[in-house]
Amino acid sequence: MSKQGVLMLSMALLLSGCGFDLSEKDTSANSTTADPGVQIAGSAVKGVIQRGLVVANRLIADKDGYYAPQRQASKPVLTADDGSYTWQLRGKADGWALVELTADNNTRMICDVVPGCDQPGGETVAFGQGMPVDSSFALRGAGDLKLETVNLTPLTHLAVTLAERGADGLSPGAISGAYTTVENWFGLPAGALRLTPPDLTRLDEMTSVSADAIQVAIANAAFLALVNDNSQWNSISDVLADVTSQIRATGQISIMGDGTNVALADLISAAALQSSELQAVVSSSVISQKLVVVEYRNVTRFKTIDEVDGGETSVADSGSSTDTGSTTETGSTTETGSTTETGTESGTGSTTGSGTGETATTEPTIPANAALLSWTAPLTRENGESLSMGEIAGYEVVYGTSPENLDQSLAIGDASVDELLVDELAEGTWYFAIRTLDTDGNRSRLSEVVYKQI
């Protein structure tokens, strides 16, 4: 059973070239290429785009240092049923490339919006079913050929549009900076736009997917969700056209909107709602828990929207502040982390830890009977040996109403998860601790116990 909540506790855990032609690589079994070069691969997801037409071109700088695609006459490749594509680009695996997707009458999109996707003048397409896209639909992405992966999503499309505004065109620096800016707009972790978004309609089949990847997928789904029950937008192409026109004109997205244009707040709100709705359609408790984390992140981002220039954001409608600082020592290794509690409806609360005082913060809209735990994955074992993420199988959170009797537990079978929300906590003081599990079945000692008064 997944748990929700809103207390954040950080604890450290310890465990015992230029001038080349493009060659086309068709998706059919009979298509081959003898040309040497680099293979670009990726996925087109908003939801999954099937039979989309993809082309890739190297980004080349002219004598003035302005980067633009070196377009060649090539037949597009088609995305597969899972949205994936591959493109063979002649030449060395250096430099950057622009990848573009367009649609024709055969292109389909999987509806990844719960409960369904509204169609202008037609019936609603059910969640998980295919739907046509109009001929103006397009997605773009760009990337370093050394990485050989370029995904195509609404968010990468916005990033390419933003990068084009730079004085150097689609230079590597402009693209990297634009990807980071778009991540900041949507409250995504660094590098999130390079993650391959999962198919939201098949989450139960991929319990190892990270919360970060799910968050990216839901942020992309929000563009389609805005079409529902909104006569202003007939299709996702309308939504994308509005947002990209804003970026071309100002380099930003309207924060709260003016009733005419798409607002960043609209997209974040839609993502938060989809995170919640998806919890009702998945069966996996692991996936449900990750969706709870994503919902919390989107709700938090909605509250803190202040500017969309990639800089610092300030808390909206509340004056939250956080004091942190604790050091935990276990065995032969010392880890340092912070313990943060988000306050209850009264706006106060406290946590304890070894060598640390109380901390408090205010967040008036957070439920009083819930807690959000956050931790940092260990880098070493208790004997001082290094510990890689690949060696971590997951975590076990234990909690209870007495620090000596932590009789309830929740298992997390994903090393990439670093947050757990717990709700439906009865009145009283609740104590929490966590241990790490490795792939050989070893278990760490419990972390320092922290608590919250409900």
Side-chain angles (χ1 to χ4, degrees):
M1 171 176 168
S2 75
K3 302 281 188 175
Q4 303 181 39
V6 289
L7 167 67
M8 182 170 288
L9 310 169
S10 285
M11 31 190 145
L13 306 181
L14 303 169
L15 178 64
S16 231
C18 173
F20 294 104
D21 293 331
L22 290 170
S23 72
E24 171 266 338
K25 183 178 179 181
D26 196 87
T27 53
S28 65
N30 296 326
S31 176
T32 60
T33 178
D35 294 327
V38 56
Q39 180 175 277
I40 307 173
S43 293
V45 180
K46 190 353 300 121
V48 169
I49 307 298
Q50 301 173 333
R51 296 186 293 282
L53 288 71
V54 176
V55 295
N57 292 282
R58 287 182 181 272
L59 291 168
I60 303 299
D62 62 17
K63 61 183 178 60
D64 297 320
Y66 186 87
Y67 284 79
Q70 184 188 47
R71 300 192 182 277
Q72 304 289 335
S74 299
K75 180 181 177 182
V77 298
L78 299 178
T79 57
D81 286 346
D82 63 356
S84 64
Y85 76 90
T86 57
W87 182 281
Q88 195 73 21
L89 192 62
R90 292 191 61 188
K92 296 180 180 180
D94 58 9
W96 288 56
L98 174 70
V99 184
E100 301 168 284
L101 177 144
T102 55
D104 63 12
N105 292 335
N106 296 316
T107 305
R108 308 280 287 179
M109 176 191 300
I110 300 301
C111 173
D112 61 350
V113 172
V114 180
C117 298
D118 290 350
Q119 294 289 283
E123 296 183 357
T124 298
V125 176
F127 178 72
Q129 298 301 305
M131 55 188 285
V133 295
D134 62 84
S135 59
S136 63
F137 179 78
L139 295 175
R140 298 187 294 172
D144 188 340
L145 290 174
K146 292 179 180 179
L147 302 178
E148 300 181 354
T149 300
V150 179
N151 294 313
L152 306 170
T153 70
L155 295 183
T156 65
H157 189 75
L158 301 191
V160 172
T161 302
L162 180 61
E164 285 178 321
R165 299 183 79 251
D168 297 332
L170 291 173
S171 67
I175 294 168
S176 296
Y179 269 57
T180 298
T181 296
V182 173
E183 289 165 352
N184 290 339
W185 288 352
F186 288 84
L188 298 169
L193 263 60
R194 300 296 181 187
L195 299 175
T196 299
D199 181 353
L200 294 176
T201 70
R202 303 178 62 183
L203 288 177
D204 283 325
E205 303 172 22
M206 49 184 80
T207 55
S208 63
V209 67
S210 69
D212 291 348
I214 294 176
Q215 185 179 0
V216 174
I218 291 176
N220 286 303
F223 289 79
L224 184 57
L226 287 189
V227 179
N228 286 358
D229 301 319
N230 191 331
S231 59
Q232 186 176 0
W233 315 114
N234 290 322
S235 68
I236 185 175
S237 296
D238 290 347
V239 176
L240 281 171
D242 181 90
V243 178
T244 54
S245 66
Q246 293 183 52
I247 293 173
R248 287 192 183 101
T250 67
Q252 299 182 353
I253 306 174
S254 173
I255 301 171
M256 302 305 295
D258 55 8
T260 301
N261 295 317
V262 174
L264 180 60
D266 297 333
L267 292 164
I268 301 296
S269 177
L273 179 59
Q274 284 301 303
S275 305
S276 176
E277 297 283 357
L278 281 166
Q279 294 169 46
V281 301
V282 298
S283 300
S284 167
S285 61
V286 173
I287 293 298
S288 181
Q289 180 59 54
K290 293 175 184 179
L291 287 168
V292 171
V293 170
V294 173
E295 180 184 5
Y296 177 83
R297 292 176 180 177
N298 280 305
V299 170
T300 300
R301 179 63 185 128
F302 182 82
K303 295 173 184 175
T304 59
I305 289 174
D306 179 67
E307 56 186 45
V308 292
D309 61 358
E312 295 293 321
T313 60
S314 62
V315 177
D317 300 324
S318 66
S320 296
S321 63
T322 302
D323 284 327
T324 61
S326 85
T327 302
T328 303
E329 183 172 340
T330 307
S332 60
T333 311
T334 299
E335 299 280 351
T336 301
S338 64
T339 301
T340 305
E341 174 174 342
T342 303
T344 66
E345 291 177 345
S346 64
T348 61
S350 65
T351 63
T352 61
S354 175
T356 182
E358 295 185 348
T359 102
T361 185
T362 302
E363 186 57 68
T365 61
I366 292 176
N369 67 337
L372 172 63
L373 306 177
S374 175
W375 59 89
T376 302
L379 300 177
T380 57
R381 296 179 181 271
E382 291 182 358
N383 62 4
E385 294 180 359
S386 63
L387 179 67
S388 69
M389 288 296 290
E391 295 177 283
I392 300 176
Y395 310 95
E396 180 187 20
V397 171
V398 294
Y399 60 104
T401 54
S402 167
E404 290 79 29
N405 186 27
L406 304 176
D407 55 354
Q408 300 187 53
S409 66
L410 291 169
I412 302 168
D414 184 349
S416 67
V417 172
D418 58 7
E419 294 175 305
L420 179 72
L421 291 96
V422 185
D423 73 353
E424 300 177 4
L425 298 172
E427 184 176 349
T429 302
W430 287 85
Y431 299 85
F432 305 85
I434 188 170
R435 62 164 52 97
T436 307
L437 314 175
D438 77 358
T439 53
D440 292 326
N442 298 315
R443 306 180 352 149
S444 73
R445 287 177 282 177
L446 284 174
S447 70
E448 180 180 322
V449 175
V450 294
Y451 71 83
K452 180 185 179 183
Q453 180 73 38
I454 301 297

